[in-house]
Amino acid sequence: MLPDEDGVAAWLRYGALPAEQAAAYSIKTVTVLGSHDETSPVASAVRELVDGVSKILGVTVSLTSDTSSLSTSIVVAIREDYLAAGNTLSASATDFLDHTDGYWVDPQKTLILGSDARGVLYGAFAYLSQLAQGTLSSTPFGSRPRAPVRWINQWDNMDGTIERGYGGRSLFFEGGRVVEDLSRVKEYARLMASIGLNGIVINNVNANPSLLSEECLSQGVKRVADTMRPYGVRIGLALNFDTPRTLGGLETSDPLDAGVVAWWGETTKRIYNHVPDMLGFTIKANSEGQPGPLSYGRTLAEGANMFAKALAPFGGFVFYRAFVYDHHLREDNPKNDRANAAVDFFAHLDDAFDDNVVVQVKFGPIDFQVREPVSPLLARLKRTKAVIEFMVAQEYMGQQSHAVYLAPEWKTILDFDMRVDGRPSLVRDILSPDGPFGWPVTGYTAVVNVGRDTTWLGHHLAMANLYAYGRLAWSPEAGARDLLDEWTRLTWGTDPVVVETVGNLLMDSWPAYEAHSGNLGIQTLCDILYTHYGPSPASQDGNGWGQWTRADQHGLGMDRTVATGTGFSGQYHPEVASLYENIETTPDDLLLWFHHVPYTHVLKSGKTVIQHFYDAHYEGAATVQTYPGRWEALRGKVDNARFEHVGFKLRYQAGHALVWRDSVCRFYHALSGIDDDKKRVGHYTHRIPLATASANVALEGYSPVDARLPEAASNGKAVQTDKDVPGKVTITVDVPQGTYDVAVNYFDTSVGRASYTISLNDKQIGEWSGNLQDRLGHDFSEYLDGHSATRVYFRGISLQKGDVLTIVGQPDKEERAPLDYVSLLPEGIVD
Ligand code: GCU
């Protein structure tokens, strides 16, 4: 039996190689050339090698200064120290070692060289990774990052919560200050370094000005920087534009006001006093109600440049977010389009930004949706540097209660050719100093929501996203599946069955999630006015947020053409613009992003849009039904603790995928009035809706109630008990004799922990509790809706006509043991 693991070691668990493989190595020591203090990444590399090689090979490796037995030693050195010791370098090694952060590893000589201290650390991690995966060959290899900016944005609040955090409380903050114990921050820095990440903005872009108090900087922020520095990770801060007024006591935060300029100058000096290698500042301004330069009649460039000038003496950069848009946009004007905002606000300022301003652009024009085209702004700034912003936090993608591997989606962005000036311009090349714009400072950042949960992200499988993000920021040409297999070998072991199973499941996960949550480019049809988690297609329209679908009884989709729509497609360079302008050449998976069509519009596949919706939602949800069974193949092949943890979540996900499917299909069925050719939508053969009067169903202490969203429950209704009084549902079974899986769909809200028992002919066959809020990390709903709707199974139950099933619900606080329907499913059927 494999020892239980809690996940905190993530992909740095350094699992032991099988003895026969380990025997091929004779490493006993680590030797380091040159002298390096304890805070240098070289010292971290040495510590990591000593620890990692010992664990992987099952031997005791130690650091030595004795250079007489180099044949059994790993030699690590910065290039200069290596050359100073009288060695020479091959041309191939020099290719990598000529670049910042580059490394060169010669496994035969067990030599690890870095162009600089960080390069040594990256080389050590690359060596350890291959050793642990059992993929280390004797051929020398090197690598260097494509881009200098490889960052993380944490959205941590100083009160210890995390905006869009689903993995526990902040590693950095609690109670308005930086936490005392930074040991997890150190572990985080190790994880970051091991995948090549080199920077982190530690606080929420919706920034709290009190971060800049002298106490917080000196007692807290400085310690965070000191903790992460040995791993080559530098920190940055997100600032609130209005701080001169709110913290500084000035009358204004006008970026051209001399007092404001002086205040930021002083404040920046104070920050650098404590953290001399601070990366700079991230600014969210004039966005979602935040103040900014536009509030003072100044341009966005004037706002950004104010910070840039304060930072210039210290070599810092302003990361100015392009997420500027009007969230009170009027949908009744067909020309209005939030997607236009980034280019509208920024493109004309291309000449106006200072040299140390970098515009930070979300990968798509809206907001981390399940599918979006690339933000056109990435091809419209040329002189102004930019970085792309991804999201590892799965805000719109199942919030880490669903396993969704995001790298395949990111690859659709990175591999997209923007055809700038009619020439090849892949996004991943634009984001590199050797790309078409030659930005010396460019690259990647991602919103990450690691928290104190030992899983980091709330779901062991979600860590594949963090791993792939870091590796793609280093090598954006890498393949999503290759990265996934690396991660699996490191995280779950090298057994080929494990690698194959995890790989296949996670490679299916984004297409499946897209299929059941919003396809053809309609965006994630989640509740954008509430938790951003479960389905609520109606919430997209009729409000100022501009994530519109313009769905009505005739059709849906945003007309973003130049000819008849919002003109968004014209923001791309001509070849891409004409691709999207023309409905014939627009790929189906972005059809509804660019075009408004009737439900009966025929796709390239020959199906109508509405039938495609129905089919895709059924197929996507069906794929998710396979996850628990596929995971079961790993029983005994991975440790039990992580196996059970993931198994539970995949079972939950399977149930919730059905909720997604049914809600979205019902919604468009009702709106369009068009039936499903396959007669599934609205016809649920095996279900017994409890709120619908029927001779077979008796309610005692339970009464019907409207679900918050009609499509989220059978016929729009559930049943619930009175407050504090238990209720009972009795079902007289009317099915042929046989073995059935009994599925109960109920609602698990944030407002209580109701409990339930289920009995057959007065004999209890199961029980459960509405306590998912203790077991899952997503944002919970207090209502009966698509967020709280969920399913529990009791499998292999023998039933015959006349049997009596009873469910007794014990309410807790405001959660009144709500139930939707019971399904009696012949084995193998999912309805
Ligand atoms: C999304 C998210 C917000 C966040 C914002 C941002 O809209 O829902 O929580 O503040 O993005 O990126 O600034």
Side-chain angles (χ1 to χ4, degrees):
M1 204 79 153
L2 295 161
D4 279 349
E5 295 185 39
D6 62 8
V8 87
W11 54 83
L12 292 181
R13 50 195 274 288
Y14 298 136
L17 276 185
E20 61 286 2
Q21 274 184 52
Y25 299 91
S26 54
I27 298 163
K28 294 197 169 58
T29 57
V30 177
T31 314
V32 57
L33 307 187
S35 66
H36 309 277
D37 70 37
E38 277 306 286
T39 63
S40 158
V42 176
S44 301
V46 170
R47 279 194 298 274
E48 211 63 42
L49 286 165
V50 166
D51 179 49
V53 176
S54 301
K55 286 181 177 149
I56 298 167
L57 299 183
V59 294
T60 308
V61 173
S62 55
L63 175 64
T64 179
S65 51
D66 170 11
T67 47
S68 64
S69 55
L70 288 186
S71 62
T72 56
S73 194
I74 301 178
V75 178
V76 295
I78 292 181
R79 161 207 177 112
E80 280 115 64
D81 292 328
Y82 186 69
L83 294 175
N87 299 296
T88 52
L89 285 172
S90 65
S92 358
T94 313
D95 272 352
F96 297 104
L97 295 173
D98 270 351
H99 289 92
T100 309
D101 294 343
Y103 63 79
W104 178 253
V105 176
D106 186 335
Q108 219 151 32
K109 298 188 196 147
T110 50
L111 175 66
I112 299 173
L113 298 177
S115 58
D116 43 34
R118 234 169 25 192
V120 172
L121 181 58
Y122 296 144
F125 275 122
Y127 175 82
L128 284 163
S129 168
Q130 295 199 16
L131 190 68
Q133 291 181 62
T135 54
L136 188 67
S137 74
S138 51
T139 326
F141 60 92
S143 188
R144 65 175 183 94
R146 282 296 304 281
V149 178
R150 303 180 304 276
W151 292 14
I152 278 173
N153 278 211
Q154 285 286 140
W155 283 358
D156 293 33
N157 297 315
M158 294 186 63
D159 65 3
T161 58
I162 301 177
E163 178 147 347
R164 315 298 173 191
Y166 320 113
R169 296 182 70 80
S170 170
L171 299 182
F172 296 91
F173 304 104
E174 192 59 74
R177 47 203 315 166
V178 170
V179 297
E180 278 310 309
D181 177 4
L182 292 174
S183 48
R184 283 290 295 278
V185 169
K186 177 179 159 212
E187 292 307 306
Y188 192 23
R190 276 183 71 221
L191 287 174
M192 287 178 63
S194 72
I195 48 175
L197 296 173
N198 60 2
I200 182 166
V201 178
I202 61 174
N203 63 311
N204 192 352
V205 286
N206 299 316
N208 182 337
S210 67
L211 182 72
L212 300 184
S213 75
E214 193 56 20
E215 192 202 342
C216 191
L217 290 176
S218 63
Q219 307 292 313
V221 174
K222 174 183 181 334
R223 281 190 300 117
V224 172
D226 292 347
T227 304
M228 302 190 97
R229 191 176 294 114
Y231 294 91
V233 176
R234 291 165 63 189
I235 72 162
L237 299 180
L239 299 186
N240 185 308
F241 192 87
D242 213 17
T243 313
R245 240 173 32 82
T246 51
L247 187 79
L250 304 190
E251 302 225 307
T252 175
S253 294
D254 180 349
L256 297 191
D257 178 274
V260 171
V261 170
W263 191 88
W264 278 119
E266 275 309 301
T267 303
T268 305
K269 204 154 125 194
R270 234 163 24 83
I271 296 172
Y272 275 84
N273 221 353
H274 299 296
V275 184
D277 59 352
M278 170 84 54
L279 288 165
F281 305 146
T282 298
I283 309 292
K284 172 178 180 178
N286 293 118
S287 171
E288 306 189 322
Q290 299 272 5
L294 302 178
S295 331
Y296 296 95
R298 310 301 183 190
T299 69
L300 296 173
E302 284 167 333
N305 293 344
M306 169 185 70
F307 294 105
K309 290 191 168 56
L311 283 163
F314 306 97
F317 281 81
V318 194
F319 281 65
Y320 202 86
R321 293 179 87 228
F323 193 55
V324 175
Y325 71 100
D326 174 4
H327 68 289
H328 298 290
L329 215 54
R330 297 203 45 160
E331 195 172 356
D332 53 10
N333 179 346
K335 295 288 170 198
N336 279 347
D337 188 358
R338 168 172 162 186
N340 283 337
V343 166
D344 282 355
F345 277 111
F346 283 87
H348 67 283
L349 296 171
D350 195 20
D351 285 323
F353 289 102
D354 283 3
D355 255 5
N356 57 335
V357 174
V358 179
V359 175
Q360 182 167 320
V361 186
K362 288 193 184 187
F363 74 79
I366 298 284
D367 198 12
F368 306 129
Q369 299 298 295
V370 72
R371 189 180 290 267
E372 295 194 50
V374 183
S375 170
L377 186 60
L378 285 167
R380 294 293 299 278
L381 294 173
K382 293 186 178 174
R383 284 164 293 278
T384 307
K385 309 165 188 71
V387 292
I388 199 166
E389 182 177 315
F390 286 118
M391 191 188 225
V392 167
Q394 297 166 226
E395 176 180 353
Y396 294 93
M397 307 276 274
Q399 302 191 349
Q400 285 129 254
S401 288
H402 288 238
V404 184
Y405 179 51
L406 301 174
E409 181 183 24
W410 299 336
K411 288 292 288 179
T412 66
I413 302 291
L414 295 173
D415 296 347
F416 189 79
D417 189 347
M418 301 291 268
R419 305 299 304 167
V420 178
D421 303 327
R423 283 205 284 271
S425 338
L426 300 184
V427 172
R428 63 179 200 236
D429 292 333
I430 290 175
L431 299 171
S432 176
D434 51 33
F437 304 145
W439 295 326
V441 176
T442 179
Y444 300 80
T445 187
V447 180
V448 180
N449 56 353
V450 298
R452 274 180 237 168
D453 196 302
T454 62
T455 61
W456 295 92
L457 291 173
H459 194 317
H460 293 297
L461 297 183
M463 288 294 273
N465 291 325
L466 181 54
Y467 183 86
Y469 165 66
R471 300 280 289 112
L472 284 172
W474 181 286
S475 291
E477 48 291 313
R481 177 67 193 243
D482 292 341
L483 296 176
L484 182 54
D485 288 350
E486 277 178 22
W487 172 80
T488 306
R489 284 192 287 265
L490 295 169
T491 307
W492 299 97
T494 53
D495 180 334
V497 175
V498 175
V499 178
E500 201 57 17
T501 304
V502 174
N504 291 345
L505 190 156
L506 284 180
M507 287 306 286
D508 285 348
S509 64
W510 171 58
Y513 193 82
E514 178 181 35
H516 74 62
S517 76
N519 42 73
L520 302 179
I522 196 69
Q523 308 172 82
T524 317
L525 295 169
C526 67
D527 193 337
I528 66 149
L529 300 176
Y530 190 30
T531 67
H532 295 190
Y533 178 65
S536 175
S539 70
Q540 316 280 310
D541 290 293
N543 58 67
W545 290 97
Q547 294 188 207
W548 301 325
T549 66
R550 293 196 184 281
D552 60 19
Q553 67 270 38
H554 308 294
L556 80 176
M558 284 287 287
D559 181 354
R560 291 188 157 114
T561 62
V562 174
T564 55
T566 71
F568 170 76
S569 64
Q571 291 190 341
Y572 292 94
H573 287 261
E575 289 161 73
V576 178
S578 84
L579 176 83
Y580 292 142
E581 180 73 11
N582 181 342
I583 199 163
E584 294 305 318
T585 53
T586 303
D588 276 352
D589 55 26
L590 283 171
L591 177 77
L592 302 176
W593 181 280
F594 285 102
H595 303 279
H596 183 87
V597 297
Y599 292 106
T600 49
H601 173 84
V602 177
L603 297 167
K604 298 184 179 64
S605 65
K607 280 185 194 175
T608 62
V609 164
I610 190 70
Q611 193 57 42
H612 178 95
F613 257 52
Y614 297 148
D615 289 349
H617 281 268
Y618 271 82
E619 282 155 21
T623 300
V624 182
Q625 302 318 300
T626 67
Y627 295 173
R630 290 156 79 180
W631 185 253
E632 196 56 38
L634 304 191
R635 188 181 283 282
K637 292 189 180 294
V638 302
D639 66 287
N640 209 43
R642 290 187 301 162
F643 174 80
E644 289 297 346
H645 190 277
V646 171
F648 165 72
K649 296 205 170 186
L650 295 179
R651 289 191 293 277
Y652 164 80
Q653 181 174 358
H656 198 234
L658 300 177
V659 171
W660 263 103
R661 177 196 77 186
D662 292 346
S663 295
V664 175
C665 288
R666 280 184 194 130
F667 176 83
Y668 289 107
H669 184 245
L671 191 61
S672 68
I674 301 175
D675 262 339
D676 168 21
D677 282 352
K678 304 196 175 79
K679 302 281 175 260
R680 295 157 301 188
V681 181
H683 307 281
Y684 309 102
T685 334
H686 304 281
R687 293 186 187 179
I688 305 163
L690 302 178
T692 308
S694 141
N696 290 346
V697 178
L699 305 178
E700 285 169 69
Y702 260 105
S703 41
V705 55
D706 285 340
R708 174 171 159 261
L709 308 170
E711 67 275 10
S714 314
N715 308 313
K717 286 191 187 307
V719 294
Q720 66 177 8
T721 66
D722 285 339
K723 190 162 162 35
D724 299 331
V725 188
K728 183 164 152 186
V729 174
T730 307
I731 301 167
T732 309
V733 170
D734 185 12
V735 290
Q737 181 169 14
T739 306
Y740 290 81
D741 290 335
V742 177
V744 181
N745 272 61
Y746 70 106
F747 297 88
D748 199 325
T749 68
S750 60
V751 293
R753 293 170 180 77
S755 49
Y756 306 80
T757 58
I758 179 166
S759 305
L760 176 62
N761 301 329
D762 284 336
K763 191 165 171 286
Q764 188 173 320
I765 55 168
E767 62 185 329
W768 76 98
S769 161
N771 64 354
L772 287 178
Q773 65 266 50
D774 305 325
R775 309 183 71 191
L776 296 169
H778 64 261
D779 279 339
F780 270 76
S781 159
E782 43 186 309
Y783 309 106
L784 311 186
D785 54 21
H787 315 296
S788 58
T790 182
R791 169 175 280 205
V792 61
Y793 279 102
F794 303 93
R795 296 190 185 271
I797 310 289
S798 297
L799 295 176
Q800 60 182 348
K801 194 172 160 66
D803 279 347
V804 177
L805 270 178
T806 45
I807 298 174
V808 174
Q810 174 71 49
D812 176 56
K813 305 196 185 74
E814 291 305 319
E815 187 173 272
R816 303 199 198 162
L819 295 163
D820 180 353
Y821 64 89
V822 174
S823 279
L824 306 179
L825 302 166
E827 270 177 320
I829 303 263
V830 181
D831 168 21

